[in-house]
Amino acid sequence: MHDERRRIEERVERLHNQRIKPAIYAATVPFEVEAWQAPGEPVSFEEAAAARYAPFAMDTPWGPPWGTTWFRMRGEVPAAFAGKRVEAVIDLGFVGDWPGNQAEALVHLPDGRPLKAVNPLNQYVPIANPAAGGEQIDYLVEAASNPDILANNFAAPTLLGDVLTAGDRPLYAFQRADIAVLDEEVWHLDLDLQVLLGVMVHLGDHEPRRHEILHALDRAMDALDLDDISGSAAAVREVLAPVLAKPAHASAHTISGVGHAHIDSAWLWPIRETKRKTSRTFSNVTSLADEYDDFIFACSQAQQYEWVRDNYPHVWARIQESVKKGQWAPVGGMWVESDGNLPGGEAIARQLIHGKRFFIEHFGIETKGVWLPDSFGYNAAYPQLAKLAGNEWFLTQKISWNQTNKFPHHTFWWEGIDGTRIFTHFPPVDTYNARFSGEEMDRAVRNYSEKGAGSRSLAPFGWGDGGGGPTREIMERARRLADLEGSPKVVVEHPDEFFAKARAEYEDAPVWNGELYLELHRATYTSQARTKQGNRRSEHKLREAELWATTAALHAPGYAYPYEKLDRLWKTVLLHQFHDILPGSSIAWVHREAEAEYARVAEELEVLTGEAIAAFGGGEPRVFNTSPFDRREVVRHGEGTTGWVQVPANGSAAVDNAVPDDLVIVEDRALDNGYVRVELAEDGTLASVFDRRAKREVLADKGNLLRLHTDLPNYWDAWDIDKHYKNRYMDLVDIESVQVIERDALVGSIRVTRAFGKGSKITQTITVRSGSPRIDFETEIDWHEAEKILKAGFPIDIRAPHSSAEIQFGHIQRPTHTNTSWEAARFEVSGHRWVHVAEPGYGVAVINDSTYGHDVSRTVREDGGTTTKVSLSLVRAPRVPDPEADQGKHRFTYSLLPGASIEDAVAEGYALNLPLRVADSAGEPEPVVSVDGEGITVEAVKLADDASGDVVVRLYESRGGRAQGVLRTGFPLAGARVTDLLERPLTEDEAAVDGTVPVTLRPFQILTLRLKRAEVN
């Protein structure tokens, strides 16, 4: 047989694209269209309905960036359309084929009910099937003219990312608003061809099935009448029917399709636009569910459900009905799909608590899995947190983006730092926006790592990132691929069903221990520093407000615990932990609003904490310690005075004005407090840090060396830092001034000021205090660089085989060598409040109050000693998608802690992030709880969410070893129960013995206790 593949393939391609697709809509009549441009921000339907509309013609430009134009569309179904499937077809002037980052619209009926949305790949609105003819159509269409931020493929900065800079030039030209007849036979023919072509081109040339499909397609085109596409479509389909009916091989891979619409809660659009995106996507999804009984849609992010509930009650009612029918599956159990590295441990717990509780309360459904397809790596505490929230499985996709190493598993057990394991799956289709294309089906099978042990994988299908969701075309492709030779089998089902089947066939799946590190998007640990600082400060201020509100509720008669306010503030912080807000990868508008929200949250929490402390009554100055560790340190009070305080964990104490023995000696370029001696070089760097207790020099070279690197990654500017950044840099050693600014007996400070680059300036105040080896670097930066990253380096004279970095509820160890490509790929990593390096007998910690990105490396010196260098990433200057990212002023503190154990690092990490609070108080309330037992750390103290008056305490083991101890309460205790994260009992109530609760923890174990208060007569 002659090889005619090229002729046939080119023939089919031309006829498919040029004749069949254009014939899908057989007949059309235009709507009469009028328009009204809403001023400013979006308006309600009622306001839009009452507005004055003007005639509007097709091809007319409309839509300034971030604007809203309402279109009134009126028409009548012609009598000639009777008995046919009639739809409205609307093209707003769409660009490209991505629904999420351009014009979108929601179609309303005259009574205000949202009917369905339109986007580039979902342009229709059902009218009648079959039509009677004469139907009167009246729509109000809310069209959003969102700019295409990705128009230049992220190649250059754009001012379109903020309504303040985007201008007002119309972005789109309206192309089409028609009443049209859908020719169902032609439409189905188009889908038959899509599926067969997709299967065929991904089969090998040696496969008989490829040639069978090829020649069937050739014969089918012979049956196509070019003068009557509609009339011949059925005959063409008859020719194709036999090859579409051939079943898949018995051993074919099975793909569980789960409807999905990844909606970023903010990214290339602001939060206000996401609220509208949810209404559009969810309208489409519930409409699709009415068409397809076998359709199932998985949807996460309780926050988005709440937006729909509050703003679109008709859409909310449709969601509730779809949930009842089993077609809508709430998943994920988190408030938003948060970043996987940056939120604190308690914050991730609250993500799970608030998310799962929402679905339980509103749908009676307890979600079983964590659904995080798009976050940028996942911390090693997740398995334990997920299990403690009642989850059985974990799903993500993003690790498939690894830049260097291919992750070895798709289905596996993920083991966390405490030993907890959770059943985990990475869809081998390598996307969370699957469309059941031939390419995707082929990739899923080729990619699947578990061949021979497992036989199934999951594919989330539907348009996403900016929403859109599944379409009827995707559902039709899934039906054709259900059992088709040459392709994996496709079954649309609930993700819980997939995970149950996958686990049943592969119970002994391999184990991956530790973090799921994404070898990409490493700059998200640093970009948009003010957003990250707002999150860190908010997390700690929430802890503080909850602790003192609980203390006041227990000890201050008449004080009312602020349940509603704390709940609302927590949800605000949780929202901004979304994986394109907190990582710093959103447009300028998003980060501008995030900074304003964090300021508002801080102000409200200051008021709540102040009210709680004031409930004890006025009196003498007292110091309040929110940290879980006893503290003995210098505190400021009054007009610049300093004093000593020794204050218990979670408690308060009076200021001690006695002068201690270990005073601070200040020289021109040296600070000495008997613990450490710090000497500055002529250029303002650290020439020496001598640990007097250990009698050893801490540094191997200049310390606190600020290094400005060129930072232009290969593609994703705000997301990525590529390894070549290390090759070009400038050390900031020029100084404007070095001056002593404080010579107090208890505090000594030297200030160093530098100017550099394009008008940037950095001022650092280096401080030591009496009684502590900690050296603080209070830093103010006025930053005006572009495509740069600033790092602060500490070359420490230690041979450390690994570094330890704090993560959620514990810490993780990472090798300092680069023996393999896996270690080499971790050239930038995340950590929370501290990084620790040590050799036997001696360690040093670097602590921070708002920095997450860092790197640790080591070299061997000529003298044979080893230098372990810890560098903090302080601030970046990406230009895409926010051209002004990080520009302006920043204030933060990082610290060097010589002679530190892990426990010291933990305690000082809390201390730096939870500064002592001085306030007038008449009361001396006992701490709500105190703990005897090394390594047992209190993370949260609050009243139970059910307003029962019970006290909830969350503890964890923080050193990485076993711990035993006793928890004591500052109130009469009747009993204690271990609970899950949702405060539901896991054990029977245990009677308290003398107001104490015994505590035994394995390494890094998290324990939530619900303490019942005894009745007091």
Side-chain angles (χ1 to χ4, degrees), residues 539-587:
E539 289 178 346
H540 288 81
K541 284 183 177 295
L542 279 161
R543 173 197 179 98
E544 189 174 31
E546 285 185 337
L547 173 65
W548 300 116
T550 303
T551 307
L554 295 174
H555 298 298
Y559 175 82
Y561 190 84
Y563 290 101
E564 185 278 329
K565 292 179 180 178
L566 287 169
D567 181 79
R568 174 173 48 79
L569 291 168
W570 259 115
K571 287 176 178 175
T572 298
V573 174
L574 298 181
L575 165 60
H576 288 85
Q577 291 175 342
F578 179 76
H579 64 253
D580 274 308
I581 303 178
L582 183 53
S585 48
S586 289
I587 56 174

Side-chain angles (χ1 to χ4, degrees), residues 268-337:
L268 305 178
W269 47 85
I271 287 172
R272 69 90 150 144
E273 195 56 35
T274 312
K275 295 177 182 179
R276 300 203 292 179
K277 283 178 176 290
T278 57
S279 70
R280 298 175 197 129
T281 295
F282 295 171
S283 294
N284 283 355
V285 168
T286 52
S287 177
L288 194 65
D290 291 338
E291 290 187 67
Y292 293 88
D293 291 339
D294 53 339
F295 174 60
I296 293 176
F297 179 72
C299 186
S300 65
Q301 304 195 82
Q303 171 70 88
Q304 294 182 4
Y305 286 77
E306 185 174 82
W307 284 334
V308 173
R309 183 198 68 188
D310 293 346
N311 298 299
Y312 299 91
H314 294 295
V315 180
W316 174 248
R318 286 160 63 180
I319 291 172
Q320 289 179 308
E321 184 61 31
S322 291
V323 170
K324 288 178 184 176
K325 292 194 300 183
Q327 290 186 278
W328 186 294
V331 294
M334 296 179 71
W335 191 248
V336 296
E337 290 183 15

Side-chain angles (χ1 to χ4, degrees), residues 413-586:
W413 290 96
W414 180 19
E415 182 178 309
I417 52 174
D418 73 307
T420 299
R421 293 179 178 179
I422 191 165
F423 196 71
T424 302
H425 182 68
F426 291 169
V429 71
D430 277 359
T431 179
Y432 48 82
N433 297 321
R435 296 150 216 173
F436 294 128
S437 67
E439 178 188 6
E440 290 171 344
M441 298 300 93
D442 178 68
R443 182 170 63 241
V445 175
R446 289 178 179 273
N447 218 9
Y448 185 57
S449 301
E450 320 306 326
K451 296 182 185 76
S455 64
R456 62 185 67 242
S457 64
L458 185 146
F461 66 87
W463 293 92
D465 286 328
T471 63
R472 61 186 180 184
E473 289 78 14
I474 298 177
M475 279 300 297
E476 289 291 338
R477 288 195 288 270
R479 285 180 167 182
R480 287 162 172 78
L481 292 169
D483 191 12
L484 181 64
E485 184 184 354
S487 171
K489 299 175 183 178
V490 173
V491 55
V492 177
E493 64 182 348
H494 194 294
D496 286 347
E497 294 182 38
F498 161 76
F499 274 94
K501 293 173 183 175
R503 180 169 172 176
E505 75 169 0
Y506 201 20
E507 183 71 31
D508 61 344
V511 176
W512 180 269
N513 181 270
E515 66 182 331
L516 295 175
Y517 177 84
L518 178 63
E519 296 174 357
L520 198 72
H521 293 359
R522 303 168 182 92
T524 58
Y525 314 145
T526 305
S527 296
Q528 298 284 4
R530 284 184 292 268
T531 297
K532 291 174 171 57
Q533 186 176 73
N535 175 73
R536 178 78 70 85
R537 302 273 168 88
S538 296
E539 289 178 346
H540 288 81
K541 284 183 177 295
L542 279 161
R543 173 197 179 98
E544 189 174 31
E546 285 185 337
L547 173 65
W548 300 116
T550 303
T551 307
L554 295 174
H555 298 298
Y559 175 82
Y561 190 84
Y563 290 101
E564 185 278 329
K565 292 179 180 178
L566 287 169
D567 181 79
R568 174 173 48 79
L569 291 168
W570 259 115
K571 287 176 178 175
T572 298
V573 174
L574 298 181
L575 165 60
H576 288 85
Q577 291 175 342
F578 179 76
H579 64 253
D580 274 308
I581 303 178
L582 183 53
S585 48
S586 289

Side-chain angles (χ1 to χ4, degrees), residues 555-814:
H555 298 298
Y559 175 82
Y561 190 84
Y563 290 101
E564 185 278 329
K565 292 179 180 178
L566 287 169
D567 181 79
R568 174 173 48 79
L569 291 168
W570 259 115
K571 287 176 178 175
T572 298
V573 174
L574 298 181
L575 165 60
H576 288 85
Q577 291 175 342
F578 179 76
H579 64 253
D580 274 308
I581 303 178
L582 183 53
S585 48
S586 289
I587 56 174
W589 191 348
V590 173
H591 292 289
R592 172 170 57 82
E593 290 190 332
E595 290 176 35
E597 281 293 276
Y598 285 131
R600 182 186 62 77
V601 167
E603 184 177 353
E604 285 198 50
L605 288 171
E606 278 295 312
V607 171
L608 290 182
T609 301
E611 289 174 346
I613 291 175
F616 304 129
E620 296 297 318
R622 287 186 68 82
V623 179
F624 293 81
N625 174 20
T626 311
S627 163
F629 292 88
D630 296 345
R631 289 162 73 173
R632 178 179 177 270
E633 61 186 72
V634 174
V635 66
R636 294 189 181 278
H637 66 100
E639 291 295 324
T641 60
T642 56
W644 269 100
V645 67
Q646 187 158 335
V647 56
N650 307 311
S652 66
V655 177
D656 181 1
N657 289 313
V659 178
D661 295 332
D662 45 352
L663 302 179
V664 178
I665 299 172
V666 182
E667 301 168 14
D668 287 346
R669 293 180 183 271
L671 303 167
D672 193 326
N673 66 355
Y675 286 77
V676 291
R677 179 175 174 82
V678 180
E679 296 180 4
L680 272 63
E682 292 289 329
D683 59 13
T685 60
L686 299 184
S688 171
V689 173
F690 189 78
D691 186 337
R692 290 190 173 280
R693 298 169 301 170
K695 297 182 175 60
R696 63 181 285 172
E697 175 62 43
V698 174
L699 301 177
D701 203 340
K702 290 183 177 183
N704 192 38
L705 178 63
L706 299 171
R707 181 165 283 180
L708 186 68
H709 295 262
T710 297
D711 179 23
L712 184 65
N714 291 344
Y715 188 54
W716 300 89
D717 289 21
W719 291 259
D720 286 352
I721 178 170
D722 286 331
K723 202 168 190 175
H724 51 251
Y725 88 92
K726 295 184 177 183
N727 300 336
R728 188 174 180 86
Y729 59 84
M730 176 178 68
D731 289 340
L732 303 185
V733 292
D734 293 336
I735 58 173
E736 286 192 348
S737 64
V738 177
Q739 61 183 121
V740 174
I741 63 166
E742 190 159 15
R743 292 180 181 271
D744 188 284
L746 302 181
V747 180
S749 298
I750 298 175
R751 180 166 293 163
V752 180
T753 303
R754 307 176 190 275
F756 60 94
K758 299 179 180 180
S760 296
K761 188 172 185 176
I762 183 166
T763 301
Q764 291 196 300
T765 303
I766 303 165
T767 301
V768 299
R769 294 173 177 84
S770 174
S772 173
R774 196 180 88 195
I775 308 157
D776 291 344
F777 301 84
E778 299 171 52
T779 303
E780 297 182 24
I781 302 178
D782 191 6
W783 179 249
H784 298 286
E785 304 308 299
E787 296 170 349
K788 298 287 190 293
I789 184 170
L790 181 65
K791 284 182 168 266
F794 292 93
I796 301 169
D797 189 6
I798 277 179
R799 183 170 175 80
H802 59 258
S803 65
S804 299
E806 186 187 42
I807 64 167
Q808 297 80 354
F809 292 106
H811 59 268
I812 189 169
Q813 293 182 342
R814 300 181 177 108

Side-chain angles (χ1 to χ4, degrees), residues 946-994:
D946 61 6
S948 62
D950 290 351
V951 175
V952 172
V953 179
R954 193 140 29 245
L955 314 158
Y956 72 104
E957 196 289 314
S958 59
R959 296 183 305 171
R962 295 186 179 274
Q964 286 187 323
V966 173
L967 180 141
R968 306 179 189 280
T969 64
F971 57 89
L973 181 64
R977 284 184 177 182
V978 176
T979 74
D980 65 4
L981 292 184
L982 277 69
E983 301 171 9
R984 300 175 298 192
L986 297 176
T987 64
E988 295 297 322
D989 194 18
E990 297 181 10
V993 180
D994 297 328

